[in-house]
Amino acid sequence: MTGQGLGPLTVWAPDGLPEVGGGDDLVALLAEVLGDVRDGDVVVITSKIVSKAEGRVVAARDREQAITDETVRVVATREHPGGVTRIVENRLGLVMAAAGVDASNTPEGTILLLPLDPDATARAVRAGLRDRLGVTVGVLITDTAGRPWRQGVTDLAIGAAGLTVLDDLRGGHDSHGRVLTATLTAVGDEIAAAAELVKGKSAGRPVAVVRGLAHLLTDGDGPGARSLVRLGEQDMFAQGTAEAYARGWKDAASGERP
Amino acid sequence: MTGQGLGPLTVWAPDGLPEVGGGDDLVALLAEVLGDVRDGDVVVITSKIVSKAEGRVVAARDREQAITDETVRVVATREHPGGVTRIVENRLGLVMAAAGVDASNTPEGTILLLPLDPDATARAVRAGLRDRLGVTVGVLITDTAGRPWRQGVTDLAIGAAGLTVLDDLRGGHDSHGRVLTATLTAVGDEIAAAAELVKGKSAGRPVAVVRGLAHLLTDGDGPGARSLVRLGEQDMFAQGTAEAYARGWKDAASGERP
């Protein structure tokens, strides 16, 4: 149990980060705008600038192939007037429309793939900021996704270092003195959401700092955002309803046992 | 388009709220601890204290019947050593394990149902705080839920007043000057998540204040958190994979067309 603070939590999005391009030294650029950062802060980075620094840019005409290449497994598909949207599990274990391949905030005619290994990048940024600024911070890399049953998108943690992303209250007590048995809070995703509120989508501020969560920092790099993925045995929504129904129907028609 | 601020966002959880009981005047209790609140702040209230004030307490032995009574539709079920967990759509349009019926932070032998109408309660709290404190704030009522494909729980907005819960960036421009066509951000859920980071689960601070989002406040009561629900036609996960598969299989076996 790491416990939870009572605030104040402060979140802001520093100004001055230039447009990031392929081959740029992301740590150097971040260090320029993060002069105010202190030990215990969490630096939250929109995945888009990580992708750009990694040169993960593809011609827009190759979009469908790019989605296929990023896909581990198709979860559901939906036809719409412009084509078919594929909701898939991608190689990062994220279930996202179009595998997370993105066409906003990229140069005309291009699309952007998700970073190669956002947990590794988070670790590198954490080490780099310690070297350059002498601070020990948590680092989160975030992306935006839709959710079943809810309107609108929210930001999620897709890379993390030096930070607890699942806060385990098991072993703590509730206000009536009973042991809390099964509350794991996805604080990584909650921090991503809090940061999105100040970064926004159109404001050109892809980095935020969250101060007040030092109790969630880990001594080492910690488990990474990959630990927020829940697929396989525990996944009750491994396939869309229409797809699962069709599979059951087909299996029955061909004499398979359920 | 309401635009998005760049911070700073400040979030804190006021001290001093007493244990809430059935019939308590929630606005009066809140006004006592929210003396620092200003115009433009968002007051975020854990649904549990709303339920307690409404007397939504049921004997723990009636838990299964209570879940049935709160259920509109079963989405999926999962057997485990202690019984069967039902993931259902409840009468508020929320898809939650056990319909959102909760046994933590309640007196021994009792369980708590979700508030009757959290959007209505949010409106009443907003009006009440204006009367008592002379401030115009946004009000959010939150609850905790799991998510497909992700470990851990996060807080969601289940009641809202005076606040944009879906921020519509359509019509805005990205950093390359292109019109953003389809980005609706679930800021209501993101504010709920930010507030959870300071309220915590075991700390006995069921209320938080978020300062710095005045651009998201609405002149009137606004659309409420019900507008964050996406079910029906747009819902690709209306039924769990195993349940949908079994239904397809059964329909085929009984000669139904898919």
Side-chain angles (χ1 to χ4, degrees):
Chain A
M1 181 186 174
T2 53
Q4 297 223 348
L6 306 175
L9 190 76
T10 313
V11 191
W12 72 96
D15 194 11
L17 195 78
E19 187 77 30
V20 176
D24 281 353
D25 181 345
L26 193 57
V27 171
L29 295 176
L30 289 169
E32 288 287 328
V33 300
L34 292 174
D36 290 342
V37 164
R38 291 187 212 151
D39 285 345
D41 288 349
V42 181
V43 174
V44 184
I45 305 166
T46 304
S47 67
K48 200 175 293 284
I49 64 169
V50 176
S51 295
K52 286 180 176 177
E54 290 177 355
R56 304 268 296 150
V57 180
V58 171
R61 65 175 175 278
D62 298 328
R63 181 169 184 271
E64 294 305 315
Q65 185 60 46
I67 295 169
T68 300
D69 294 344
E70 294 281 288
T71 295
V72 170
R73 186 174 62 84
V74 176
V75 172
T77 59
R78 160 155 249 163
E79 289 185 44
H80 55 81
V84 175
T85 297
R86 284 177 276 173
I87 288 123
V88 310
E89 175 191 339
N90 68 21
R91 64 194 163 69
L92 300 173
L94 305 167
V95 178
M96 291 181 159
V101 172
D102 192 4
S104 66
N105 290 301
T106 59
E108 193 72 37
T110 67
I111 56 173
L112 210 52
L113 311 182
L114 285 175
L116 277 172
D117 184 346
D119 276 334
T121 302
R123 293 192 293 270
V125 170
R126 178 171 179 259
L129 291 176
R130 180 183 279 159
D131 287 348
R132 286 181 178 259
L133 301 175
V135 292
T136 300
V137 297
V139 174
L140 213 54
I141 297 173
T142 65
D143 200 55
T144 306
R147 300 123 350 130
W149 317 315
R150 302 292 284 173
Q151 297 285 0
V153 296
T154 59
D155 273 17
L156 297 175
I158 72 164
L163 185 69
T164 300
V165 294
L166 279 167
D167 196 20
D168 190 348
L169 294 176
R170 289 177 292 195
H173 293 80
D174 71 13
S175 63
H176 290 264
R178 278 174 308 203
V179 173
L180 287 166
T181 49
T183 303
L184 268 178
T185 303
V187 289
D189 289 336
E190 292 188 328
I191 298 168
E196 200 286 324
L197 288 167
V198 302
K199 288 187 300 179
K201 285 283 165 296
S202 55
R205 304 257 184 133
V207 179
V209 181
V210 181
R211 180 164 294 164
L213 297 176
H215 59 288
L216 293 178
L217 263 62
T218 53
D219 290 335
D221 283 324
R226 183 85 196 195
S227 64
L228 284 163
V229 169
R230 182 179 63 180
L231 295 172
E233 281 281 301
Q234 291 183 65
D235 180 8
M236 300 166 79
F237 300 92
Q239 196 173 30
T241 301
E243 287 79 3
Y245 178 92
R247 185 167 51 88
W249 204 95
K250 190 174 158 217
D251 282 358
S254 64
E256 298 273 335
R257 303 304 306 167
Chain B
M1 180 184 177
T2 54
Q4 297 222 349
L6 306 176
L9 190 75
T10 313
V11 191
W12 72 95
D15 193 12
L17 195 78
E19 187 77 29
V20 176
D24 281 353
D25 181 343
L26 193 58
V27 171
L29 295 175
L30 290 169
E32 287 286 328
V33 299
L34 292 174
D36 289 341
V37 164
R38 291 186 212 151
D39 285 343
D41 288 349
V42 181
V43 174
V44 184
I45 305 165
T46 304
S47 67
K48 200 175 294 283
I49 64 169
V50 176
S51 295
K52 286 181 176 176
E54 290 177 354
R56 304 269 296 153
V57 180
V58 171
R61 65 175 175 276
D62 298 328
R63 182 170 183 271
E64 293 306 314
Q65 185 60 45
I67 294 169
T68 301
D69 294 345
E70 293 281 288
T71 295
V72 170
R73 187 174 61 85
V74 176
V75 172
T77 60
R78 160 153 249 161
E79 290 185 43
H80 56 81
V84 175
T85 296
R86 285 176 276 174
I87 289 123
V88 309
E89 175 192 340
N90 67 21
R91 64 192 164 72
L92 299 173
L94 304 167
V95 178
M96 291 180 158
V101 173
D102 191 5
S104 66
N105 289 301
T106 59
E108 193 71 38
T110 67
I111 56 172
L112 209 53
L113 312 182
L114 286 175
L116 278 171
D117 184 346
D119 276 332
T121 303
R123 293 192 292 271
V125 170
R126 178 172 180 259
L129 291 176
R130 181 182 280 159
D131 287 348
R132 284 180 180 262
L133 301 175
V135 293
T136 299
V137 296
V139 174
L140 214 54
I141 296 172
T142 65
D143 200 56
T144 305
R147 303 132 334 141
W149 318 315
R150 302 292 283 172
Q151 297 284 1
V153 296
T154 59
D155 273 17
L156 297 176
I158 71 165
L163 185 68
T164 300
V165 293
L166 278 167
D167 196 20
D168 190 348
L169 294 177
R170 289 178 291 198
H173 293 81
D174 71 14
S175 64
H176 289 265
R178 276 175 309 202
V179 173
L180 287 167
T181 49
T183 303
L184 268 178
T185 303
V187 289
D189 289 338
E190 292 188 329
I191 298 167
E196 201 286 324
L197 289 167
V198 302
K199 287 187 300 179
K201 285 284 164 296
S202 55
R205 304 258 183 133
V207 179
V209 181
V210 181
R211 180 165 294 164
L213 298 176
H215 59 288
L216 294 177
L217 263 62
T218 52
D219 289 334
D221 283 323
R226 183 84 197 198
S227 65
L228 284 163
V229 169
R230 182 179 63 178
L231 296 172
E233 282 281 302
Q234 291 182 64
D235 180 9
M236 300 166 79
F237 300 93
Q239 196 172 30
T241 301
E243 288 79 3
Y245 178 91
R247 185 167 52 89
W249 204 93
K250 190 172 158 220
D251 282 358
S254 64
E256 297 273 336
R257 302 305 305 169

